[in-house]
Amino acid sequence: MNWLTNYVRPKIRALYARKEVPDNLWHKCPSCEAMLFHRDLEENLNVCQHCGFHMRLDPIKRLASMFDEGEYQSIELPKTVVDPLKFRDQKRYTDRLKEAQSKTSRHDAIVVGSGLIGGQPAVVAAFDFGFMGGSMGIAVGEGLLAAARAAIAQNAALIVVPASGGARMQEGILSLMQMPRTTIAVEMVKEAGLPYIVVLTDPTTGGVTASFAMIGDIHIAEKGAQIGFAGARVIESTIRETLPEGFQRSEYLLEHGMVDMVVHRRDLRPTLSRVLALLMQTSLVPAEPESLDEVPAILPTTQPAAEEKARVQAEAPDATPPQAGAEKTGAEQPV
Protein backbone atom coordinates (compact mmCIF):
# COMPACT_ATOMS: atom_id res chain seq x y z
CA MET A 1 0.00 0.00 0.00
CA ASN A 2 1.39 3.34 -1.07
CA TRP A 3 0.60 5.77 1.75
CA LEU A 4 1.33 8.90 -0.30
CA THR A 5 -0.84 7.83 -3.25
CA ASN A 6 -3.79 6.36 -1.41
CA TYR A 7 -4.07 8.71 1.56
CA VAL A 8 -2.12 11.98 1.24
CA ARG A 9 -2.92 12.79 -2.38
CA PRO A 10 -6.77 12.43 -2.00
CA LYS A 11 -6.63 14.71 1.05
CA ILE A 12 -4.71 17.39 -0.84
CA ARG A 13 -7.06 17.14 -3.83
CA ALA A 14 -10.09 17.46 -1.58
CA LEU A 15 -8.58 20.62 -0.09
CA TYR A 16 -8.03 22.38 -3.41
CA ALA A 17 -10.76 20.80 -5.47
CA ARG A 18 -13.23 23.14 -7.11
CA LYS A 19 -16.51 23.09 -5.23
CA GLU A 20 -19.70 22.88 -7.24
CA VAL A 21 -22.10 25.78 -6.67
CA PRO A 22 -25.83 24.94 -6.73
CA ASP A 23 -27.73 26.40 -9.66
CA ASN A 24 -30.50 27.94 -7.55
CA LEU A 25 -28.36 30.35 -5.51
CA TRP A 26 -28.70 33.19 -8.03
CA HIS A 27 -31.70 34.36 -10.03
CA LYS A 28 -31.85 36.76 -12.95
CA CYS A 29 -34.50 39.46 -12.90
CA PRO A 30 -36.71 39.10 -16.03
CA SER A 31 -37.00 42.90 -16.26
CA CYS A 32 -33.58 44.45 -15.58
CA GLU A 33 -31.57 41.17 -15.83
CA ALA A 34 -29.78 41.87 -12.56
CA MET A 35 -28.41 38.85 -10.66
CA LEU A 36 -30.21 38.42 -7.33
CA PHE A 37 -29.02 36.27 -4.46
CA HIS A 38 -31.74 33.83 -3.45
CA ARG A 39 -31.83 34.85 0.22
CA ASP A 40 -32.17 38.53 -0.65
CA LEU A 41 -34.91 37.67 -3.10
CA GLU A 42 -36.83 35.64 -0.53
CA GLU A 43 -36.55 38.38 2.08
CA ASN A 44 -37.94 40.86 -0.46
CA LEU A 45 -40.91 38.57 -1.28
CA ASN A 46 -39.66 37.78 -4.79
CA VAL A 47 -39.45 41.45 -5.77
CA CYS A 48 -36.33 42.75 -7.52
CA GLN A 49 -34.60 45.26 -5.26
CA HIS A 50 -33.16 47.08 -8.28
CA CYS A 51 -36.17 47.71 -10.53
CA GLY A 52 -39.10 46.61 -8.36
CA PHE A 53 -40.25 43.87 -10.75
CA HIS A 54 -42.76 41.55 -9.04
CA MET A 55 -41.97 37.91 -9.74
CA ARG A 56 -44.46 35.14 -9.06
CA LEU A 57 -44.77 34.03 -5.45
CA ASP A 58 -45.51 30.57 -4.10
CA PRO A 59 -49.01 30.47 -2.52
CA ILE A 60 -47.69 29.18 0.82
CA LYS A 61 -45.27 32.12 1.05
CA ARG A 62 -48.08 34.36 -0.12
CA LEU A 63 -50.35 33.31 2.73
CA ALA A 64 -47.54 33.65 5.27
CA SER A 65 -46.85 37.21 4.07
CA MET A 66 -50.51 38.24 4.28
CA PHE A 67 -51.57 36.93 7.70
CA ASP A 68 -50.52 38.45 11.01
CA GLU A 69 -47.26 36.95 12.26
CA GLY A 70 -47.42 34.58 9.29
CA GLU A 71 -49.81 32.31 11.21
CA TYR A 72 -52.85 30.75 9.57
CA GLN A 73 -54.81 27.51 9.44
CA SER A 74 -55.04 25.57 6.20
CA ILE A 75 -58.54 24.68 5.08
CA GLU A 76 -58.90 21.18 3.70
CA LEU A 77 -60.46 21.20 0.26
CA PRO A 78 -62.90 18.56 -0.99
CA LYS A 79 -61.66 15.84 -3.31
CA THR A 80 -62.97 15.97 -6.87
CA VAL A 81 -63.27 13.68 -9.85
CA VAL A 82 -59.96 13.19 -11.67
CA ASP A 83 -60.04 13.33 -15.48
CA PRO A 84 -63.83 13.19 -15.93
CA LEU A 85 -63.56 13.45 -19.74
CA LYS A 86 -60.67 10.95 -20.14
CA PHE A 87 -58.83 13.71 -22.01
CA ARG A 88 -55.64 13.09 -23.92
CA ASP A 89 -53.55 15.28 -26.22
CA GLN A 90 -49.79 14.68 -26.43
CA LYS A 91 -50.06 13.24 -22.91
CA ARG A 92 -52.84 11.91 -20.78
CA TYR A 93 -54.45 14.45 -18.51
CA THR A 94 -53.82 12.16 -15.52
CA ASP A 95 -50.09 12.14 -16.33
CA ARG A 96 -50.03 15.95 -16.51
CA LEU A 97 -51.77 16.14 -13.14
CA LYS A 98 -49.24 13.77 -11.57
CA GLU A 99 -46.34 15.83 -12.93
CA ALA A 100 -47.83 19.06 -11.59
CA GLN A 101 -48.57 17.47 -8.22
CA SER A 102 -45.04 16.13 -7.85
CA LYS A 103 -43.58 19.48 -8.95
CA THR A 104 -45.62 21.64 -6.55
CA SER A 105 -46.36 19.11 -3.78
CA ARG A 106 -50.05 20.07 -3.73
CA HIS A 107 -53.27 18.56 -5.03
CA ASP A 108 -54.32 21.37 -7.36
CA ALA A 109 -53.80 25.03 -8.26
CA ILE A 110 -55.45 26.61 -5.19
CA VAL A 111 -54.55 26.88 -1.51
CA VAL A 112 -56.97 28.21 1.13
CA GLY A 113 -56.11 29.43 4.62
CA SER A 114 -57.84 31.35 7.41
CA GLY A 115 -56.44 33.65 10.07
CA LEU A 116 -56.19 37.29 11.08
CA ILE A 117 -55.13 40.26 8.95
CA GLY A 118 -54.72 43.40 11.00
CA GLY A 119 -56.69 41.71 13.78
CA GLN A 120 -59.67 41.07 11.46
CA PRO A 121 -60.74 37.52 10.52
CA ALA A 122 -60.13 36.64 6.88
CA VAL A 123 -60.14 33.64 4.56
CA VAL A 124 -57.59 33.79 1.73
CA ALA A 125 -57.64 31.66 -1.43
CA ALA A 126 -54.34 31.90 -3.35
CA PHE A 127 -53.56 30.43 -6.77
CA ASP A 128 -50.38 28.65 -7.81
CA PHE A 129 -49.37 29.53 -11.36
CA GLY A 130 -46.81 26.72 -11.27
CA PHE A 131 -49.63 24.16 -11.24
CA MET A 132 -50.63 23.94 -14.91
CA GLY A 133 -50.61 27.72 -15.25
CA GLY A 134 -53.03 28.17 -12.35
CA SER A 135 -55.82 27.01 -14.64
CA MET A 136 -59.33 26.74 -13.20
CA GLY A 137 -60.86 23.30 -13.19
CA ILE A 138 -63.36 21.49 -10.99
CA ALA A 139 -60.95 21.36 -8.05
CA VAL A 140 -60.40 25.13 -8.15
CA GLY A 141 -64.15 25.74 -8.31
CA GLU A 142 -64.70 23.49 -5.31
CA GLY A 143 -61.85 25.24 -3.50
CA LEU A 144 -63.43 28.67 -3.98
CA LEU A 145 -66.79 27.33 -2.81
CA ALA A 146 -65.13 25.89 0.29
CA ALA A 147 -63.42 29.24 0.93
CA ALA A 148 -66.73 31.09 0.63
CA ARG A 149 -68.47 28.70 3.02
CA ALA A 150 -65.59 29.01 5.50
CA ALA A 151 -65.76 32.81 5.35
CA ILE A 152 -69.49 32.77 6.05
CA ALA A 153 -69.12 30.26 8.89
CA GLN A 154 -66.32 32.30 10.51
CA ASN A 155 -67.97 35.68 9.79
CA ALA A 156 -64.75 36.63 7.98
CA ALA A 157 -63.81 38.53 4.85
CA LEU A 158 -63.02 36.56 1.71
CA ILE A 159 -59.82 37.49 -0.13
CA VAL A 160 -58.88 35.81 -3.42
CA VAL A 161 -55.42 36.08 -5.00
CA PRO A 162 -55.70 34.84 -8.60
CA ALA A 163 -52.70 33.99 -10.75
CA SER A 164 -54.14 32.07 -13.65
CA GLY A 165 -54.19 31.67 -17.39
CA GLY A 166 -57.92 30.92 -17.39
CA ALA A 167 -60.05 27.80 -17.65
CA ARG A 168 -58.45 24.35 -17.86
CA MET A 169 -59.04 23.03 -21.36
CA GLN A 170 -58.52 19.39 -20.36
CA GLU A 171 -61.84 19.52 -18.48
CA GLY A 172 -63.79 21.15 -21.29
CA ILE A 173 -67.29 22.39 -20.47
CA LEU A 174 -66.88 21.27 -16.85
CA SER A 175 -64.14 23.86 -16.49
CA LEU A 176 -66.34 26.59 -17.98
CA MET A 177 -69.08 25.68 -15.52
CA GLN A 178 -66.81 26.85 -12.70
CA MET A 179 -67.31 30.45 -13.85
CA PRO A 180 -70.97 30.68 -12.71
CA ARG A 181 -70.26 28.46 -9.69
CA THR A 182 -67.52 30.75 -8.39
CA THR A 183 -69.73 33.79 -9.09
CA ILE A 184 -72.48 32.24 -6.97
CA ALA A 185 -69.94 31.57 -4.21
CA VAL A 186 -69.01 35.26 -4.20
CA GLU A 187 -72.69 36.27 -4.08
CA MET A 188 -73.14 34.04 -1.02
CA VAL A 189 -70.42 36.01 0.76
CA LYS A 190 -71.92 39.35 -0.25
CA GLU A 191 -75.43 38.33 0.84
CA ALA A 192 -73.98 37.50 4.25
CA GLY A 193 -72.81 41.13 4.50
CA LEU A 194 -69.12 40.22 4.36
CA PRO A 195 -66.49 41.97 2.21
CA TYR A 196 -65.00 40.30 -0.84
CA ILE A 197 -61.58 41.57 -1.91
CA VAL A 198 -59.57 40.52 -4.98
CA VAL A 199 -55.77 40.91 -5.09
CA LEU A 200 -54.87 40.79 -8.78
CA THR A 201 -51.43 39.34 -9.49
CA ASP A 202 -49.48 38.46 -12.63
CA PRO A 203 -51.13 37.03 -14.64
CA THR A 204 -54.92 37.19 -14.23
CA THR A 205 -56.48 36.30 -17.57
CA GLY A 206 -59.14 34.25 -19.33
CA GLY A 207 -62.14 32.76 -17.59
CA VAL A 208 -60.85 33.81 -14.18
CA THR A 209 -61.04 37.46 -15.21
CA ALA A 210 -64.48 36.85 -16.73
CA SER A 211 -65.88 35.52 -13.44
CA PHE A 212 -64.91 35.94 -9.81
CA ALA A 213 -61.76 38.03 -10.32
CA MET A 214 -63.57 41.19 -11.46
CA ILE A 215 -66.63 41.30 -9.18
CA GLY A 216 -64.92 42.19 -5.91
CA ASP A 217 -65.97 44.96 -3.58
CA ILE A 218 -62.40 46.25 -3.86
CA HIS A 219 -59.75 45.37 -6.44
CA ILE A 220 -56.12 45.66 -5.39
CA ALA A 221 -53.42 44.95 -7.98
CA GLU A 222 -49.72 44.33 -7.63
CA LYS A 223 -47.35 46.54 -9.59
CA GLY A 224 -46.94 45.59 -13.23
CA ALA A 225 -49.39 42.66 -13.15
CA GLN A 226 -50.95 41.57 -16.44
CA ILE A 227 -54.73 41.65 -16.12
CA GLY A 228 -57.13 41.00 -18.99
CA PHE A 229 -59.33 38.50 -20.77
CA ALA A 230 -57.63 37.79 -24.10
CA GLY A 231 -53.93 38.19 -24.81
CA ALA A 232 -52.56 41.40 -26.28
CA ARG A 233 -51.41 39.68 -29.49
CA VAL A 234 -54.86 38.17 -30.02
CA ILE A 235 -56.49 41.58 -29.57
CA GLU A 236 -54.05 43.28 -31.94
CA SER A 237 -54.61 40.67 -34.65
CA THR A 238 -58.38 40.95 -34.20
CA ILE A 239 -58.79 44.74 -34.25
CA ARG A 240 -55.71 45.28 -36.46
CA GLU A 241 -54.52 48.21 -34.41
CA THR A 242 -51.50 48.84 -32.21
CA LEU A 243 -52.40 48.74 -28.54
CA PRO A 244 -51.30 51.60 -26.24
CA GLU A 245 -48.18 51.24 -24.13
CA GLY A 246 -48.78 49.43 -20.84
CA PHE A 247 -52.04 47.90 -22.05
CA GLN A 248 -53.49 45.29 -19.65
CA ARG A 249 -51.07 46.29 -16.89
CA SER A 250 -52.08 47.30 -13.37
CA GLU A 251 -51.19 50.96 -13.79
CA TYR A 252 -53.12 51.21 -17.07
CA LEU A 253 -56.22 49.65 -15.50
CA LEU A 254 -55.95 51.98 -12.52
CA GLU A 255 -56.02 54.99 -14.85
CA HIS A 256 -59.12 53.61 -16.59
CA GLY A 257 -61.06 52.76 -13.43
CA MET A 258 -60.94 48.96 -13.46
CA VAL A 259 -58.64 48.72 -10.44
CA ASP A 260 -59.05 50.59 -7.15
CA MET A 261 -55.38 50.71 -6.14
CA VAL A 262 -51.94 49.42 -7.12
CA VAL A 263 -49.65 48.48 -4.25
CA HIS A 264 -46.15 47.12 -3.74
CA ARG A 265 -46.08 43.57 -2.43
CA ARG A 266 -44.47 44.59 0.86
CA ASP A 267 -47.34 47.06 1.42
CA LEU A 268 -50.08 44.52 0.72
CA ARG A 269 -50.72 43.37 4.29
CA PRO A 270 -50.84 46.92 5.78
CA THR A 271 -53.20 47.94 2.97
CA LEU A 272 -55.47 44.96 3.59
CA SER A 273 -55.41 45.70 7.32
CA ARG A 274 -56.68 49.25 6.74
CA VAL A 275 -59.32 48.14 4.24
CA LEU A 276 -60.63 45.36 6.49
CA ALA A 277 -60.71 47.70 9.49
CA LEU A 278 -63.07 49.93 7.49
CA LEU A 279 -65.20 47.25 5.85
CA MET A 280 -65.60 45.00 8.89
CA GLN A 281 -66.61 47.90 11.16
CA THR A 282 -70.28 47.93 12.15
CA SER A 283 -72.07 50.77 10.42
CA LEU A 284 -73.52 53.35 12.82
CA VAL A 285 -77.18 53.70 11.82
CA PRO A 286 -79.30 55.89 14.16
CA ALA A 287 -82.33 54.14 15.62
CA GLU A 288 -85.80 55.41 14.78
CA PRO A 289 -87.25 57.55 17.64
CA GLU A 290 -90.06 55.95 19.62
CA SER A 291 -91.83 59.31 20.18
CA LEU A 292 -91.74 62.85 18.81
CA ASP A 293 -89.90 64.02 21.91
CA GLU A 294 -86.83 62.12 20.69
CA VAL A 295 -86.75 63.86 17.30
CA PRO A 296 -83.59 66.02 17.05
CA ALA A 297 -84.05 69.78 17.22
CA ILE A 298 -82.51 70.24 13.78
CA LEU A 299 -85.86 69.51 12.10
CA PRO A 300 -87.41 72.57 10.36
CA THR A 301 -89.93 74.51 12.48
CA THR A 302 -91.40 76.77 9.75
CA GLN A 303 -95.18 76.46 9.60
CA PRO A 304 -97.06 76.17 6.33
CA ALA A 305 -98.16 79.40 4.63
CA ALA A 306 -101.89 78.87 5.35
CA GLU A 307 -101.33 78.40 9.09
CA GLU A 308 -99.10 81.49 9.21
CA LYS A 309 -101.76 83.62 7.45
CA ALA A 310 -104.49 82.44 9.84
CA ARG A 311 -102.32 83.27 12.83
CA VAL A 312 -101.69 86.84 11.57
CA GLN A 313 -105.38 87.42 10.92
CA ALA A 314 -106.28 86.16 14.39
CA GLU A 315 -103.87 88.56 16.03
CA ALA A 316 -105.09 91.60 13.99
CA PRO A 317 -108.70 90.98 12.89
CA ASP A 318 -109.28 94.61 11.77
CA ALA A 319 -106.29 94.68 9.50
CA THR A 320 -107.08 94.09 5.89
CA PRO A 321 -104.71 94.12 2.93
CA PRO A 322 -104.58 97.39 0.93
CA GLN A 323 -106.68 97.70 -2.20
CA ALA A 324 -104.96 97.32 -5.50
CA GLY A 325 -104.22 100.66 -7.14
CA ALA A 326 -104.77 102.73 -3.96
CA GLU A 327 -102.73 105.89 -3.81
CA LYS A 328 -100.20 106.29 -1.05
CA THR A 329 -98.95 109.46 0.55
CA GLY A 330 -96.20 109.97 3.04
CA ALA A 331 -98.13 107.83 5.55
CA GLU A 332 -100.33 104.88 4.82
CA GLN A 333 -104.02 105.77 4.62
CA PRO A 334 -106.47 103.30 6.14
CA VAL A 335 -109.04 101.99 3.72
Side-chain angles (χ1 to χ4, degrees):
M1 178 181 178
N2 191 330
W3 178 73
L4 289 174
T5 304
N6 298 332
Y7 184 77
V8 176
R9 184 177 293 175
K11 290 289 184 181
I12 295 174
R13 284 179 177 175
L15 259 162
Y16 294 98
R18 186 176 180 181
K19 297 181 180 180
E20 295 182 359
V21 180
D23 296 333
N24 58 351
L25 290 182
W26 294 89
H27 301 272
K28 180 186 288 187
C29 174
S31 178
C32 67
E33 298 186 352
M35 297 302 296
L36 308 172
F37 190 54
H38 71 106
R39 291 180 183 174
D40 297 334
L41 192 60
E42 290 177 2
E43 291 177 359
N44 208 31
L45 298 175
N46 276 24
V47 178
C48 178
Q49 57 263 39
H50 300 286
C51 65
F53 181 80
H54 284 52
M55 305 178 196
R56 297 186 181 111
L57 188 63
D58 182 82
I60 300 300
K61 296 179 181 178
R62 169 84 63 180
L63 294 180
S65 67
M66 293 176 66
F67 287 107
D68 294 347
E69 308 298 332
E71 298 179 357
Y72 65 93
Q73 293 181 350
S74 297
I75 296 177
E76 186 176 356
L77 304 181
K79 294 182 179 180
T80 58
V81 179
V82 178
D83 194 12
L85 302 180
K86 309 298 180 185
F87 189 90
R88 179 170 183 170
D89 45 24
Q90 295 179 350
K91 291 183 180 179
R92 292 182 179 180
Y93 178 42
T94 52
D95 295 337
R96 293 188 183 276
L97 281 176
K98 290 177 182 178
E99 290 177 3
Q101 289 169 353
S102 62
K103 176 184 175 182
T104 61
S105 301
R106 57 182 53 94
H107 179 69
D108 214 278
I110 190 170
V111 177
V112 182
S114 64
L116 298 177
I117 300 179
Q120 300 291 339
V123 175
V124 180
F127 279 63
D128 183 6
F129 190 81
F131 193 104
M132 298 186 68
S135 52
M136 180 174 63
I138 298 175
V140 170
E142 290 291 339
L144 285 172
L145 279 170
R149 294 190 183 106
I152 296 171
Q154 300 176 20
N155 196 30
L158 177 60
I159 303 174
V160 178
V161 189
S164 174
R168 187 172 297 176
M169 68 173 190
Q170 288 88 350
E171 296 185 13
I173 189 64
L174 299 177
S175 176
L176 297 178
M177 288 173 61
Q178 307 313 309
M179 296 169 63
R181 294 185 75 224
T182 54
T183 304
I184 293 172
V186 171
E187 290 301 320
M188 290 167 47
V189 175
K190 293 185 177 182
E191 289 177 0
L194 299 169
Y196 171 58
I197 302 173
V198 182
V199 179
L200 300 165
T201 65
D202 183 67
T204 301
T205 58
V208 170
T209 308
S211 55
F212 65 89
M214 300 306 292
I215 56 175
D217 298 320
I218 292 181
H219 293 100
I220 302 173
E222 289 188 338
K223 294 181 63 176
Q226 181 183 3
I227 305 164
F229 179 69
R233 286 180 297 178
V234 175
I235 297 175
E236 281 188 336
S237 61
T238 302
I239 65 176
R240 297 179 181 178
E241 292 183 8
T242 302
L243 297 175
E245 186 178 355
F247 182 74
Q248 289 186 336
R249 295 293 173 178
S250 301
E251 294 76 10
Y252 182 88
L253 297 182
L254 178 64
E255 293 176 0
H256 291 76
M258 294 188 65
V259 170
D260 296 305
M261 62 183 80
V262 176
V263 300
H264 193 281
R265 187 172 290 167
R266 64 170 177 268
D267 300 326
L268 180 59
R269 189 169 68 86
T271 302
L272 288 173
S273 300
R274 291 193 300 269
V275 171
L276 291 178
L278 294 172
L279 296 182
M280 296 294 286
Q281 186 178 12
T282 305
S283 58
L284 301 177
V285 179
E288 296 183 359
E290 297 180 358
S291 63
L292 294 178
D293 297 336
E294 299 181 11
V295 177
I298 60 174
L299 295 179
T301 57
T302 305
Q303 297 180 357
E307 296 181 3
E308 182 68 16
K309 182 178 180 181
R311 185 183 64 80
V312 172
Q313 291 180 354
E315 292 178 354
D318 295 336
T320 57
Q323 295 291 334
E327 296 181 359
K328 293 184 179 181
T329 59
E332 294 186 358
Q333 300 295 330
V335 179

